[in-house]
Amino acid sequence: MNKYILTLFFVLATTVASFAQANISPAKAQTKKIVIFGATVHVGNGQVIDNGYIIFEKGKITGVGDATVVKLNMTDAEMITANGKHVYPGFISPITNLGLAEFESVKATLDFQEIGNMNPHIRSIVAYNTDSKVPPTLRSNGILMAQITPQGGTIAGSSSVVQLDAWNWEDAALKIDDAQHVNWPVTPRFRGGFGGARPGFSADALAERTQKAVSDLDEIFAQAKAYAEGEKPTTSNARLAAMENLFNGKEKLFITADSQKDIVAAVNFAKKYGITPVIVGGDEAYLIIDFLKENNISVVVKQPHALPNNVDDDVNMPYKNAAALANAGITVVVSIDGYWQQRNLPFMAGTVATWGLGKEKALQTITLNTAKVLGIDKTAGSIEIGKDATLFISAGDALDMKTNKVEQAFIQGRSINLDNLHKQLDKKFSDKYRIK
């Protein structure tokens, strides 16, 4: 019996060791001044420097400008020549369960949703797994930060913003509990006739259920506001206490809503409690641009690579939505569903660039605009003096999947390892079949 136990232990230990070999240790802190020169610098605020330089030390950017009109002191710095290449601020992935899920078919690795409908006390940051194999695949496409977001229910909980090269969630955190996330109650579409009816539910019954959900949401917000403004009770209420920062402006409110009717209802609901929300999804936001501008609403456009929701919509509307909003003066952020899929975020921005937005404005939808909406724009989102040196060098256009080739990346000045599980598998099987 002991023989079998010992054998099993050896097999498990070997498996764990081999799995761990794919782990990549976080980079060490920057110790020497670094200068990147000769590259096309995409600042992230719309500005482009054709032959630029960037200086950073101790994790902060200390110089940015035109390399042709300045003399650089190279004696005490590590020089990186990047002629013909491009430098971008680190891309930021919003609204993702990255680090909260690993294998979709293994329930034990899924930790992005809790039981219950009203969960404002749920904090995604404490469940964030820095040992996940997924973040390194994102870094290889220039995504260096993410908003880790819970899902499910009417109130899903609070998200946090992290950088994607860390030992643990404490090291990763850039902004803890940046926003509460609400899924606006939506009446399921009732389709009568052959193949479209919902057995046991009439259109009125479905509408009544939705109204009940809205009433429940209104009730918990009213209680939370009273809780925040009143004297603190002897026994605290975790759910209500978790919503306190919504009312003092320290935490934002993200509401997922797609139809114009739901967007208007969600915005008016938030205004009732003195909150300016961020709309997530916004499939029909382009139909109510004036309303959004009047209420200073930012929109996180989800999944530009998608089909329209309505059969009579322009088939290309998901591609055009971001441009329609941004060109009207609305702050727009681009996102993509899932966690493995996050590596394609730059190409979502590339798509909206093609459909009416332009490259530099499209770049802002995954850099500076995202940083502003998440409340980290003082330290991230653009290549400017005083901000974190979170940036990367690409051989080509980083918004184009054909030319995106990240050669070197830095997070807070640390030169990070760009190896990942996908690259390892590619090399393994390329070697097997001698693919060059």
Side-chain angles (χ1 to χ4, degrees):
M1 188 65 165
N2 290 337
K3 176 182 176 182
Y4 292 118
I5 293 175
L6 184 61
T7 301
L8 178 61
F9 177 81
F10 177 76
V11 171
L12 289 173
T14 304
T15 302
V16 171
S18 63
F19 186 72
Q21 287 174 4
N23 284 339
I24 301 167
S25 297
K28 294 181 180 179
Q30 181 183 3
T31 57
K32 189 176 183 180
K33 181 195 298 183
I34 296 176
V35 179
I36 302 172
F37 68 95
T40 298
V41 179
H42 301 264
V43 178
N45 59 4
Q47 181 185 3
V48 179
I49 306 173
D50 290 329
N51 185 357
Y53 72 88
I54 304 167
I55 305 172
F56 53 96
E57 50 188 320
K58 297 180 180 179
K60 294 290 184 180
I61 297 171
T62 56
V64 182
D66 187 342
T68 63
V69 297
V70 68
K71 187 174 182 180
L72 300 173
N73 181 6
M74 305 182 182
T75 57
D76 61 342
E78 175 186 343
M79 305 301 299
I80 300 175
T81 303
N83 298 91
K85 299 177 182 180
H86 300 258
V87 180
Y88 295 87
F91 298 155
I92 310 169
S93 178
I95 320 291
T96 174
N97 57 1
L98 179 72
L100 305 179
E102 198 72 14
F103 304 104
E104 292 179 355
S105 59
V106 182
K107 188 175 181 180
T109 70
L110 306 179
D111 196 15
F112 53 82
Q113 182 173 347
E114 295 294 334
I115 296 172
N117 206 36
M118 301 290 183
N119 294 311
H121 57 302
I122 297 302
R123 304 173 68 229
S124 63
I125 187 66
V126 296
Y128 177 63
N129 176 22
T130 54
D131 291 326
S132 169
K133 296 295 180 291
V134 186
T137 68
L138 275 62
R139 300 197 305 246
S140 292
N141 276 356
I143 303 163
L144 306 181
M145 294 163 280
Q147 181 192 34
I148 310 306
T149 307
Q151 299 176 351
T154 302
I155 303 181
S158 66
S159 60
S160 291
V161 185
V162 301
Q163 51 87 1
L164 302 183
D165 184 62
W167 287 104
N168 50 52
W169 69 260
E170 290 95 336
D171 291 340
L174 294 176
K175 186 171 185 179
I176 294 177
D177 298 335
D178 71 294
Q180 282 282 345
H181 293 262
V182 168
N183 297 303
W184 189 255
V186 178
T187 303
R189 294 185 181 183
F190 179 81
R191 297 181 177 90
F194 180 76
R198 294 175 61 100
F201 295 100
S202 65
D204 290 340
L206 292 172
E208 185 177 343
R209 288 175 58 185
T210 301
Q211 186 55 49
K212 173 65 166 57
V214 173
S215 297
D216 291 343
L217 185 64
D218 191 33
E219 181 179 356
I220 192 171
F221 265 76
Q223 291 176 354
K225 186 172 177 62
Y227 187 93
E229 295 174 349
E231 295 183 7
K232 294 297 179 286
T234 305
T235 303
S236 64
N237 184 309
R239 281 183 169 82
L240 302 183
M243 299 174 67
E244 183 173 355
N245 286 336
L246 284 175
F247 306 107
N248 58 26
K250 294 181 180 179
E251 195 169 4
K252 294 192 176 185
L253 177 63
F254 282 58
I255 305 180
T256 297
D258 285 319
S259 74
Q260 56 179 318
K261 175 183 176 182
D262 290 334
I263 294 170
V264 170
V267 170
N268 288 334
F269 171 85
K271 285 175 58 181
K272 175 181 174 181
Y273 293 99
I275 302 169
T276 299
V278 175
I279 293 297
V280 179
D283 288 351
E284 295 184 358
Y286 67 95
L287 296 174
I288 49 172
I289 286 176
D290 290 342
F291 173 82
L292 295 174
K293 291 179 68 175
E294 288 170 7
N295 291 281
N296 194 30
I297 304 299
S298 301
V299 180
V300 180
V301 175
K302 298 192 73 175
Q303 202 79 16
H305 287 191
L307 292 173
N309 283 341
N310 303 311
V311 294
D312 56 348
D313 285 346
D314 179 352
V315 71
N316 295 316
M317 200 60 232
Y319 300 158
K320 300 177 181 178
N321 194 14
L325 297 170
N327 291 334
I330 294 171
T331 301
V332 175
V333 172
V334 168
S335 70
I336 182 173
D337 291 335
Y339 50 104
W340 282 110
Q341 298 88 338
Q342 293 302 312
R343 61 188 174 178
N344 292 320
L345 178 65
F347 314 135
M348 301 295 112
T351 294
V352 301
T354 302
W355 289 85
L357 195 53
K359 275 290 172 68
E360 298 309 314
K361 279 192 174 182
L363 176 64
Q364 288 182 249
T365 67
I366 56 174
T367 55
L368 189 56
N369 285 5
T370 311
K372 288 178 178 179
V373 169
L374 302 186
I376 59 169
D377 54 301
K378 290 184 178 180
T379 57
S382 59
I383 301 174
E384 298 180 86
I385 293 175
K387 291 193 175 184
D388 289 347
T390 300
L391 48 89
F392 67 91
I393 303 171
S394 174
D397 182 354
L399 302 188
D400 186 336
M401 65 177 66
K402 290 183 177 181
T403 58
N404 178 310
K405 185 179 180 182
V406 177
E407 297 184 340
Q408 198 165 1
F410 301 86
I411 293 180
Q412 296 172 329
R414 299 178 292 115
S415 181
I416 64 172
N417 191 330
L418 291 175
D419 194 14
N420 63 57
L421 186 60
H422 290 176
K423 288 182 178 179
Q424 293 164 9
L425 290 172
D426 176 68
K427 183 179 186 306
K428 175 181 178 180
F429 290 101
S430 293
D431 290 345
K432 178 180 179 181
Y433 297 106
R434 293 180 175 84
I435 299 174
K436 294 182 180 180

